[in-house]
Amino acid sequence: MRRRDAAVALLAVGVIAMLAVPGAAGAKSKAFSSGPINRPIPNNDPVGVFAPIGVGKKGKVKDVNVAVRISHPNVSQLSLYLFKGDKYVRLATGVGGAGNDFGSGTADCNGTFTIFDGAAPTFIQMAGAPFNGAFRPSESLAAYNGDKTKGTWRLLAIDSTGGTSGLVNCWVLGLKYKKQK
């Protein structure tokens, strides 16, 4: 196993622990990582940038959590969404004041993530950047409950203002699901 592959595997194990949610008997939990992608977020561009993660596991979603590591000097310019097919959930829009970063640490998959979890005690709108730890997203991730796990899940980051720019460094999709044949 190459060093990068080992680091991503270690990251996935750590994030699984962070994203684990108590749930129904027989449900499985798995974290799917983009790995370090450092994808630029275009300034003042309504299209933004998509960062996909392919999921090959067949099952029905019981719970979804999203962990992001995004470097940006003014996160209030950003809107974040989770897409699967035509369905999307707004994770955050215009939050954090003039603060910087979703998560902290180096600009890759290391460091602390911002975790969007419907069971978190604090709504993302009520917190300040940098966002370290778990927060409730702007809209409920429970919208995916009962959907199929298999397919392409995409994180969308939009920078609504010119001037400063940022990067989607890494993101992780945490799924709790009921396995299907």
Side-chain angles (χ1 to χ4, degrees), residues 34-58:
S34 68
I37 55 176
N38 295 321
R39 191 159 290 173
I41 304 167
N43 280 319
N44 201 19
D45 179 354
V47 175
V49 63
F50 279 103
I53 291 178
V55 173
K57 300 285 183 188
K58 289 183 179 180

Side-chain angles (χ1 to χ4, degrees), residues 1-141:
M1 183 180 287
R2 296 182 329 200
R3 174 177 264 189
R4 179 185 176 279
D5 294 337
V8 169
L10 184 59
L11 163 74
V13 169
V15 173
I16 287 172
M18 290 189 303
L19 299 176
V21 211
K28 298 195 175 279
S29 292
K30 181 136 176 90
F32 302 88
S33 175
S34 68
I37 55 176
N38 295 321
R39 191 159 290 173
I41 304 167
N43 280 319
N44 201 19
D45 179 354
V47 175
V49 63
F50 279 103
I53 291 178
V55 173
K57 300 285 183 188
K58 289 183 179 180
K60 291 263 185 189
V61 173
K62 297 290 182 190
D63 189 58
V64 177
N65 292 322
V66 175
V68 299
R69 189 54 202 96
I70 296 176
S71 303
H72 195 286
N74 188 350
V75 295
S76 67
Q77 297 176 358
L78 298 179
S79 295
L80 303 178
Y81 298 86
L82 178 66
F83 275 78
K84 172 125 186 322
D86 292 336
K87 185 182 285 188
Y88 65 91
V89 167
R90 183 170 42 102
L91 301 173
T93 299
V95 298
N100 62 341
D101 296 345
F102 283 95
S104 61
T106 57
D108 55 19
C109 293
N110 296 310
T112 303
F113 281 80
T114 300
I115 301 168
F116 293 98
D117 179 352
T122 305
F123 284 93
I124 192 78
Q125 301 91 322
M126 305 307 292
F131 299 104
N132 292 312
F135 302 91
R136 281 191 193 193
S138 295
E139 296 177 353
S140 177
L141 288 164

